[in-house]
Amino acid sequence: MRVTFLGHACFEVESEAGRVLLDPWLAGNPQAARSPDEVQADAILLTHGHGDHVGDTVAIAKRLGIPVVAVYELATLLGWEGVETHAMHIGGSAEYPFGRVKFTHATHGTGMVDDERRTIRYAGTAAGVLYSAGGKTVLHLGDTGLTSDLALVGRRHAIDLALVPIGDNFTMGPEDAAEAVRMLGAKRAVPCHYNTFPPIRQDPSRFVAAVAGAAEVTVLAPGEGLTI
Ligand code: NI
Ligand code: MN
């Protein structure tokens, strides 16, 4: 399985089962390693309804004619935009041609901001996405604070790679993120959701130090990837 960091919380995951994009915010993402016009995928998996995660989902899904997998309320909102969706919810899993998806608990908000109407459209609950394909399992934690539920996820699933927000302010900071990695028992970890905006400026070496060898940490620059 090849996992490529495309900036902020966006990852491309490729295996013999296919290629998926997680949280494809690219246009307007100062870290974006690709443009929304050039990415290729068989499906889009979303952790939650915030703009820095939904991003270019509708445009990419329409251009490629691919489905979007999200929690029910977010899937409904995106379905109204004219894209094919597969609605799921936290704790549920489903098998797709491109792999197995399970939604895990995240401690975070979610909602789609409509600036013109000054409303926030309810988008369900924030989640993490556990994705298994080609014999490997990767957990995108989404945006979350430290929560003991992660220990349950680690007890139930062997996690080859955890994609962990470390930016602080909106999510876990480096030390809480390291504790999450330990609770998950993940073999490897890649930090994300940092250095995109001033409030989440962060030194990833703090995360590496805090994990302290409990997992193999790889710090990826946008555009870089690793094979697990
Ligand atoms: Ni968020
Ligand atoms: Mn976010």
Side-chain angles (χ1 to χ4, degrees), residues 8 48 52-53 143 193:
H8 193 58
H48 65 295
D52 57 319
H53 298 260
D143 284 358
H193 210 276

Coordinates of all heavy atoms in Angstrom, one line a residue, residues 8 48 52-53 143 193, ligand 2:
H8 N -2.0 19.2 4.4 CA -3.0 19.4 5.5 C -3.5 18.0 6.0 O -2.8 17.4 6.7 CB -4.1 20.3 5.0 CG -4.9 20.8 6.1 ND1 -4.4 21.5 7.2 CD2 -6.3 20.7 6.4 CE1 -5.4 21.7 8.1 NE2 -6.6 21.3 7.6
H48 N -15.0 14.3 8.0 CA -16.1 15.2 8.5 C -16.3 16.4 7.6 O -15.6 16.6 6.6 CB -15.8 15.7 9.9 CG -14.6 16.5 10.1 ND1 -13.3 16.1 9.8 CD2 -14.5 17.8 10.5 CE1 -12.4 17.1 10.1 NE2 -13.1 18.1 10.5
D52 N -11.9 22.4 5.4 CA -10.5 22.0 5.1 C -10.4 20.4 5.0 O -9.3 19.9 4.8 CB -9.6 22.5 6.2 CG -10.0 22.0 7.6 OD1 -11.2 22.0 7.9 OD2 -9.1 21.7 8.4
H53 N -11.5 19.8 4.9 CA -11.6 18.3 4.7 C -12.4 17.9 3.5 O -12.0 17.1 2.7 CB -12.0 17.6 6.0 CG -11.1 17.9 7.1 ND1 -10.1 17.0 7.5 CD2 -10.9 19.0 7.9 CE1 -9.4 17.5 8.5 NE2 -9.9 18.7 8.8
D143 N -10.1 15.0 12.4 CA -9.8 16.0 13.4 C -10.3 15.4 14.8 O -11.5 15.1 14.8 CB -10.5 17.3 13.1 CG -9.8 18.1 12.0 OD1 -8.8 17.6 11.5 OD2 -10.3 19.2 11.7
H193 N -2.2 17.8 9.5 CA -3.0 18.9 10.1 C -2.2 19.8 11.0 O -2.5 20.1 12.1 CB -4.2 18.3 10.9 CG -5.4 19.1 10.9 ND1 -5.6 20.2 11.8 CD2 -6.6 19.1 10.2 CE1 -6.8 20.8 11.6 NE2 -7.4 20.1 10.6
Ligands
MN2 MN -9.5 20.4 10.1

